[in-house]
Amino acid sequence: MLRKIAVVLMEDVAVFEFGVLSEVFGIDRTDDGVPAFDFKVCSTRPGEPLRTSSHSAVVAPYGLDELEDADLVALPATTWREAYDERILDALRKAEARGAILLTVCSGAFVLGAAGLLDGRKCATHWRYASLFRERYPRAQLDPDVLFVDDGNIITSAGTAAGIDACLHLVRRELGSAVATRIARRMVVPPQRDGGQRQYVDVPVPESSGESLQPVLDWMVANLTVEHTVPDLARRAQMSERTFARRFVAETGTTPLKWVTTQRVLHARTLLEQTSLGIEQIAAEAGFGTAALLRHHFRRVVGVPPQNYRRTFQTA
């Protein structure tokens, strides 16, 4: 059961992420059938203002001693740094050792990484920080695609609003779906979202590292509805099929089929965002031919079905 929740703040805390934890666990909703939480906001400097990342300040009334019997210790995002206060890291290690649940939002995962608590553990953080996180904590098993990772007593979430998903998941896991749904309804958010971070990330498309194939690549992008075969492309590049295939992989890092498929997905994504065309028409214009093929490849590359993506990102 979740009874006592201790949130740890430090300098440069992100206000929204702290607000997520406060909204889910810090508001009395007993009138709506939600169990009461003993919500403690803690820091190494209780009672003193702490700088936030948005040019304001917050005050944590309690010290780190509140972590000693907390059922959940939560860390909102904060600006990552070369070193974290050893008092906080030690308190987190002790909380984990006695079986407390640890939850981070966004870059809060860096603090657990610095404490050594993510070594060999699956985890998540904001997609923008994935490379830096891997560099600093190579023993952690980072999944950059998901909204959050539940690894038993450690739950880590991706950026910003993904913290809501992680918190509601924890409530659902510990207190049941009915309680999680009541909280979500009061927050006016879905109790559970589909997909992962991939739908919010610009898809990295392999580009040519040389100039020899660039005219062919440009022609492929301009003619996505054409069936691109290696023999046809090799003739256009004035190369043998074997040389073309080898050169293509060397310059783009992938095969012609995978490259053009990703280009088609990117074009479909643009059409979903900027037009009101039907899925069948988008599939045709992107070169997939059928809606079924579009859905298959779109979900594989982006992480969510085309219709879900359109509901989130359409601007037309």
Side-chain angles (χ1 to χ4, degrees), residues 153-214:
N153 69 321
I154 293 182
I155 297 177
T156 50
S157 80
T160 313
I164 300 174
D165 300 288
C167 290
L168 292 177
H169 166 77
L170 177 60
V171 171
R172 186 181 306 108
R173 190 186 84 178
E174 299 295 318
L175 302 175
S177 297
V179 174
T181 300
R182 291 188 187 106
I183 295 175
R185 186 188 304 117
R186 291 280 288 269
M187 293 175 64
V188 198
V189 297
Q192 187 168 351
R193 282 196 296 169
D194 295 328
Q197 292 196 79
R198 277 182 291 169
Q199 60 187 303
Y200 303 100
V201 183
D202 286 336
V203 178
V205 182
E207 297 180 354
S208 173
S209 58
E211 297 182 356
S212 61
L213 291 183
Q214 196 59 55

Side-chain angles (χ1 to χ4, degrees), residues 149-281:
V149 169
D150 180 340
D151 195 39
N153 69 321
I154 293 182
I155 297 177
T156 50
S157 80
T160 313
I164 300 174
D165 300 288
C167 290
L168 292 177
H169 166 77
L170 177 60
V171 171
R172 186 181 306 108
R173 190 186 84 178
E174 299 295 318
L175 302 175
S177 297
V179 174
T181 300
R182 291 188 187 106
I183 295 175
R185 186 188 304 117
R186 291 280 288 269
M187 293 175 64
V188 198
V189 297
Q192 187 168 351
R193 282 196 296 169
D194 295 328
Q197 292 196 79
R198 277 182 291 169
Q199 60 187 303
Y200 303 100
V201 183
D202 286 336
V203 178
V205 182
E207 297 180 354
S208 173
S209 58
E211 297 182 356
S212 61
L213 291 183
Q214 196 59 55
V216 177
L217 299 178
D218 292 342
W219 183 83
M220 292 170 71
V221 171
N223 295 273
L224 292 176
T225 59
V226 175
E227 182 180 354
H228 299 294
T229 67
V230 169
D232 291 341
L233 294 172
R235 280 194 295 271
R236 182 170 290 276
Q238 298 182 334
M239 299 177 184
S240 70
E241 293 179 24
R242 185 174 180 179
T243 299
F244 173 81
R246 184 175 64 250
R247 184 74 62 81
F248 197 98
V249 172
E251 292 194 10
T252 67
T254 189
T255 65
L257 178 59
K258 291 181 179 179
W259 192 89
V260 76
T261 297
T262 302
Q263 294 286 358
R264 286 168 172 158
V265 168
L266 288 176
H267 185 52
R269 193 168 75 166
T270 298
L271 294 175
L272 288 166
E273 292 174 0
Q274 300 179 7
T275 76
S276 57
L277 296 176
I279 297 300
E280 289 284 355
Q281 191 171 353

Side-chain angles (χ1 to χ4, degrees), residues 10 15 27 39 54 59-60 82 119 139-140 170 176 222 233 245 261-262 294:
M10 58 189 76
V15 176
I27 295 178
F39 187 74
S54 54
V59 175
E82 292 297 331
D119 291 352
R139 297 178 62 186
L170 177 60
L233 294 172
T261 297
T262 302
L294 168 61

